[in-house]
Amino acid sequence: MKLSLSPAQTGIGYDKNCPMRDVLDCIGDRWSLLVLAYLSAGTLRFTELKRAIGDISQRMLSQTLRSLERDGYLSRHAYPTVPPKVEYTLTALGTSLLERVEPLLLWANENHAKVLKAREAYVPPPAAAPL
Amino acid sequence: MKLSLSPAQTGIGYDKNCPMRDVLDCIGDRWSLLVLAYLSAGTLRFTELKRAIGDISQRMLSQTLRSLERDGYLSRHAYPTVPPKVEYTLTALGTSLLERVEPLLLWANENHAKVLKAREAYVPPPAAAPL
DNA sequence: CTGTATCCAGCAGGATACTG
DNA sequence: CAGTATCCTGCTGGATACAG
């Protein structure tokens, strides 16, 4: 079974010019996908997001939101009220990205057991396999 | 447009028991997807992989291959020859994973320009937006 | 050729304190 | 409420040397 994403055809690589690496590097961090996923249900405020995720620090949430906004995955709307109110919403680009990520997430859910089983059964090779 | 991967429904989260986070953490590192992608074209030896990828260190290639083998994404076959010869091949699990990753990679390719454009147009909010 | 062991620098990211 | 600034630690991953 041959896939069509061999590097020669897709241009994948660790070059900075590689689109896939660029995108993957940005959303492949600890929090980005999580934030996007939480926003898939609808607009949320900063504190709502923080409380929903639970174990993200204020610093990382802020930083992650900036990065996602910067790349166009979500939009930020600040109301000039006191106290301030800021809402974050997925853009069309963000939604479209999530739609592609979803199958991968579902796959992970379905196949996690297999991975765990493989890990359990795994015996590391004895440094330049004998026999 | 509502996606079906809202955390409440998928169970995504940063818990260690979260299947998606577990899988994503393992393949979301610097090299795993790249190695898998290169193997999608067929079986490769250690040095072939290293030369193909180019800028991966021996240490990271070895480490990445171990990790992927451990999780069942690829299989390792060592020939007891001198000098040693070791071949790496995708398993069914690895191929199945790559099939889900591919759409994401293609999306990245197609939408990279939009991301770059968003970055270019981006102006950071002035710390608690005025107006 | 196919690795492992060691050392080390850079950076992601947590805790905390402070501001508009 | 919604952040930014500072400090500090651990891990990722590169370079190098060595081994089967």
Side-chain angles (χ1 to χ4, degrees):
Chain A
M1 188 189 316
K2 192 86 164 309
L3 299 174
S4 63
L5 51 58
S6 73
Q9 295 160 59
T10 56
I12 198 179
Y14 216 83
D15 191 359
K16 262 305 166 200
N17 303 71
C18 172
M20 306 182 210
R21 276 285 151 179
D22 189 22
V23 171
L24 256 37
D25 276 355
C26 289
I27 63 164
D29 70 316
R30 194 178 176 96
W31 301 111
S32 292
L33 272 183
L34 199 53
V35 168
L36 291 179
Y38 273 96
L39 285 178
S40 73
T43 296
L44 286 177
R45 298 177 58 175
F46 187 90
T47 304
E48 289 173 336
L49 262 172
K50 173 145 177 46
R51 191 158 27 80
I53 298 180
D55 56 346
I56 190 175
S57 66
Q58 214 169 29
R59 177 192 143 92
M60 288 317 295
L61 179 55
S62 174
Q63 193 170 304
T64 302
L65 286 169
R66 280 290 174 282
S67 162
L68 293 174
E69 187 198 0
R70 198 182 89 106
D71 286 3
Y73 297 126
L74 56 80
S75 62
R76 189 187 107 112
H77 187 57
Y79 298 87
T81 58
V82 175
K85 172 178 175 180
V86 181
E87 289 182 340
Y88 293 92
T89 314
L90 284 187
T91 61
L93 191 67
T95 301
S96 128
L97 170 63
L98 266 184
E99 279 167 355
R100 305 307 179 97
V101 171
E102 198 177 8
L104 184 58
L105 261 25
L106 296 178
W107 182 93
N109 241 349
E110 290 164 13
N111 296 86
H112 191 222
K114 292 183 187 171
V115 172
L116 289 183
K117 197 175 172 187
R119 274 184 205 162
E120 206 170 336
Y122 181 65
V123 181
L131 167 67
Chain B
M1 187 190 317
K2 192 88 164 308
L3 298 174
S4 63
L5 52 58
S6 73
Q9 295 161 59
T10 56
I12 198 179
Y14 215 85
D15 191 0
K16 262 305 164 202
N17 304 70
C18 172
M20 307 184 209
R21 276 284 150 180
D22 189 22
V23 171
L24 255 37
D25 276 354
C26 288
I27 63 163
D29 71 318
R30 195 178 176 94
W31 301 111
S32 292
L33 272 182
L34 199 52
V35 168
L36 290 179
Y38 272 97
L39 284 178
S40 73
T43 296
L44 285 178
R45 298 178 58 177
F46 187 88
T47 305
E48 289 173 337
L49 264 172
K50 172 145 178 45
R51 191 160 27 80
I53 299 180
D55 56 346
I56 189 175
S57 66
Q58 214 168 30
R59 176 186 197 265
M60 288 318 294
L61 179 55
S62 173
Q63 193 169 303
T64 302
L65 286 169
R66 282 287 174 284
S67 161
L68 293 174
E69 186 197 1
R70 198 182 88 107
D71 286 3
Y73 297 126
L74 56 80
S75 61
R76 190 188 106 114
H77 187 57
Y79 299 88
T81 58
V82 175
K85 172 179 174 180
V86 181
E87 289 181 341
Y88 294 92
T89 314
L90 283 187
T91 61
L93 192 68
T95 302
S96 126
L97 171 62
L98 266 185
E99 279 167 355
R100 306 307 179 97
V101 171
E102 198 177 8
L104 185 57
L105 261 24
L106 296 178
W107 182 94
N109 242 349
E110 290 164 14
N111 296 87
H112 191 221
K114 292 182 186 172
V115 172
L116 290 183
K117 197 175 171 188
R119 273 184 205 163
E120 206 171 336
Y122 182 65
V123 180
L131 168 65

